[in-house]
Amino acid sequence: MDVEEYVRRKIADGTDEETLQTNLADSILEIKNVKPSYASAFARAVIEEVKNTRGLKGDFFEFMPAGVKMGEFGVGSRGKGDFFAHRQIARIIGKTSASVGVDEMDDAGAVCASGQYIICTVDGMHSRLSDFPFLAGFHVTRATLRDVYVMGAKPIMLFSDIHVADDGDVAKIFDYTAGITTVGEVMEVPLVTGSTLRIGGDMVLGSRLTGCVGAVGVAEHLTARKSSRPGDVLLMTEGAGGGTIATAAIYSGFPEVVEQTINLNFLVACETLMKSDIFYKIHAMTDVTNGGLRGDAFEMAETAGCRIVIDENAIESLVEPHVRSMLETLQIDYLGVSLDALLIVAPPEVSGEICRVVESAGVMMHEIGYVEEGRPESVLMVNGKESDFTPRFRESAYTPVKKVVDTDMRDFEAMKAGVIRASDAAIGKKERVLKSLRDRKRIL
């Protein structure tokens, strides 16, 4: 419970302060084991703090509302809304000197330094794994290392950020860190720094855990998405999923499937490839995560400016059998959910050798499609016929709650207009503050 937001809403609704203080104190007592006098004093203090922040004007205190909520636009849900929002973030950042920047929507960013590429990326833990900290730490670490590897880089360090709400047990921090370092130690990538905070400080009650893990790597041969070329073929490894599949299993009554996700096959396959001469023949790599193959194929086509064709008949055998059985039972579209499989784009003449090297690491891989000239789009071939393969509004609904959420959607085009208006306003504010800072710098 966010007590600050609760107070803001109630004041805006016209609730008198005495009633508000009483009601908030009662809510606090439902969550926290404290004395009634403490709850009442805490509620009074929150009300006073919120009152002091009301009516503040100017660039540092206000922002242009989009009139669109994160959930209803699907931000973080790896679908059309999420991709659109991320492209607005790229607009705000603007063009930079990066070798691979955020505008390319790749798995990580890259800058050139002293003749090498420095790769940096960060991944947020799966929000529904808050009560399972080890799984949260394990899967987010594996995810961030994947993002470094698919850029053609060798990971050299990890960093983490952990936030636990005020009533969360301190042990969550330790279990989360154990998950991170389990992956790091096997792959010989040290966790070197991080931050540990409470969510919202004193203002958020409950035990929710959230956080992220980032990684830095170095590369000589970049395998960014933009390097995909017409005539290339697409190769994919078997995937058993990560945080998303673990979440689907836990919250849908299939806890035994979680064990299938506890592997480092993707990372080991990449390590093996990077030690082989064939690695330098690879044009691009990515992981099948962002809205599943639907989302990643679409984003790759957009970034490379090519048409990508996927053969559905070639994919099904690459979904780990226990995972595939669960997804089929739950009627979850495996093409629209994160499988954590490795996707490689390379010339057809080296396809066989790449598969041989990957399979030498004990990981199955084969061709699933190709790249051709044409309008940037992704197409799915189903029994020899082209089928639409564009991302859906959200990734496949993989928990009971998500299936309910998917039944309530606003008009997407109307929401986009609000999102654009808000991002334009953020760009305008950035330019005003930049001008002020640059003017002061010139005076100094």
Side-chain angles (χ1 to χ4, degrees), residues 1-10 24 42 46 49-50 53 200 202-204:
M1 176 185 180
D2 186 333
V3 294
E4 184 174 8
E5 181 182 0
Y6 176 85
V7 170
R8 289 189 188 281
R9 290 189 179 195
K10 293 302 180 181
L24 179 55
F42 186 92
V46 175
E49 288 191 9
V50 170
T53 67
D202 302 307
M203 293 296 185
V204 176

Side-chain angles (χ1 to χ4, degrees), residues 354-398:
I354 291 171
C355 290
R356 188 195 66 75
V357 171
V358 169
E359 288 172 357
S360 73
V363 182
M364 180 167 55
M365 170 178 256
H366 59 239
E367 287 188 26
I368 64 161
Y370 54 91
V371 184
E372 64 182 14
E373 292 184 356
R375 182 168 64 90
E377 63 177 346
S378 52
V379 174
L380 183 67
M381 298 296 291
V382 181
N383 297 324
K385 295 183 179 179
E386 288 189 6
S387 177
D388 176 62
F389 200 41
T390 55
R392 292 171 180 167
F393 182 65
R394 294 185 181 90
E395 60 198 325
S396 299
Y398 55 87

Side-chain angles (χ1 to χ4, degrees), residues 219-231:
E220 295 179 356
H221 169 60
L222 283 182
T223 50
R225 294 177 179 182
K226 64 182 178 182
S227 300
S228 303
R229 305 169 191 171

Side-chain angles (χ1 to χ4, degrees), residues 77-79 83 288-296 335-338 391 394-396:
S77 294
R78 303 302 184 249
F83 297 151
V288 180
T289 54
N290 294 325
L293 194 55
R294 288 183 184 277
D296 281 306
L335 294 173
V337 73
S338 298
R394 294 185 181 90
E395 60 198 325
S396 299

Side-chain angles (χ1 to χ4, degrees), residues 75-78 126-128 244 247 394-409:
V75 179
S77 294
R78 303 302 184 249
H126 198 291
S127 59
R128 296 303 305 281
T244 297
T247 297
R394 294 185 181 90
E395 60 198 325
S396 299
Y398 55 87
T399 69
V401 167
K402 286 187 175 293
K403 290 182 179 181
V404 175
V405 171
D406 265 4
T407 64
D408 184 24
M409 296 183 189

